[in-house]
Structures are given as structure tokens and as C-alpha cells.
Amino acid sequence: MPESISVKPIFEAMPYNVNKEAAKTANTVYQFNLDGEGGGQFTVTIRHGECTVEEGVSSAPDVTVSAAAVDYMNIVAGSYPFGLAYINGRLKVEGDLRLVVRMSAYFAPSA
């Protein structure tokens, strides 16, 4: 029987992959609600160049991202462009969309 795929390792890796220089002025709490097989709810806090991740729901996120887990994994893998997923309603954002767009810089490799 094939092993199920989960978004959890993506979130577990975030604190180790944050670009501290790009995120040095950040102060944002992201809530991710990812439905379906392999999904979950995660709170990602990026503050002053550091990233922490907790399973569960934040009481006061700055922005909430909702999607099917499989769609989110495809976006992260680069096989489904973020903009297209957003336009097609496969990825929903509550709050400031710019904060979600900015997140890609926080995890870009250092120059």
C-alpha cells in the first residue's frame, strides 16, 4: 500500500530554510488551512529573521491561506503557479495578499 503524502514535512522544514536577511524586518503570522488527505492546520510566524511553526490555529493571524493539501504541495513544488491557483480559486487568501506574495522572498536562497 502506498505511503500517504503529507504537507507536514514542508512546514517542519520552514524554520531551517528561512532567509534570515530577507525576513529580518518581517513580523507576520500566517495561518494555513489545508484540507484533504495529507492536510492540516499550521501557524507560521516569521519575526525578525526567525521562523516558527506550530500545528493548529492561530487566534489572530495576519493572513490566512486555505487550499486543498494536494494543490498546496503542487504550488510549493512549482508545478502549479501561485498566481494561477489564486485566480482559479484553488488557493484562497483572507487578509493582505501582499504578505503571502512576500513569503516567497523569505524562503528564497541567500544571494
Side-chain angles (χ1 to χ4, degrees), residues 27-31 46-47 58 60-64 94-96 99:
N27 187 13
T28 307
V29 177
Y30 297 87
Q31 175 64 49
I46 301 176
R47 185 170 288 128
S58 169
D62 295 299
V63 64
T64 300
E94 292 177 44
D96 191 343
L99 294 174

Side-chain angles (χ1 to χ4, degrees), residues 49-62:
E50 299 295 325
C51 174
T52 59
V53 176
E54 297 177 23
E55 281 193 72
V57 179
S58 169
S59 61
D62 295 299

Side-chain angles (χ1 to χ4, degrees), residues 38-107:
Q41 294 180 304
F42 299 88
T43 300
V44 177
T45 303
I46 301 176
R47 185 170 288 128
H48 308 301
E50 299 295 325
C51 174
T52 59
V53 176
E54 297 177 23
E55 281 193 72
V57 179
S58 169
S59 61
D62 295 299
V63 64
T64 300
V65 177
S66 301
V70 67
D71 288 336
Y72 183 76
M73 287 188 278
N74 286 328
I75 292 165
V76 170
S79 60
Y80 193 9
F82 167 82
L84 187 60
Y86 179 75
I87 290 169
N88 288 336
R90 304 294 294 263
L91 180 129
K92 294 179 177 42
V93 176
E94 292 177 44
D96 191 343
L97 178 63
R98 293 174 298 179
L99 294 174
V100 179
V101 172
R102 200 173 298 151
M103 192 175 191
S104 65
Y106 299 155
F107 294 96

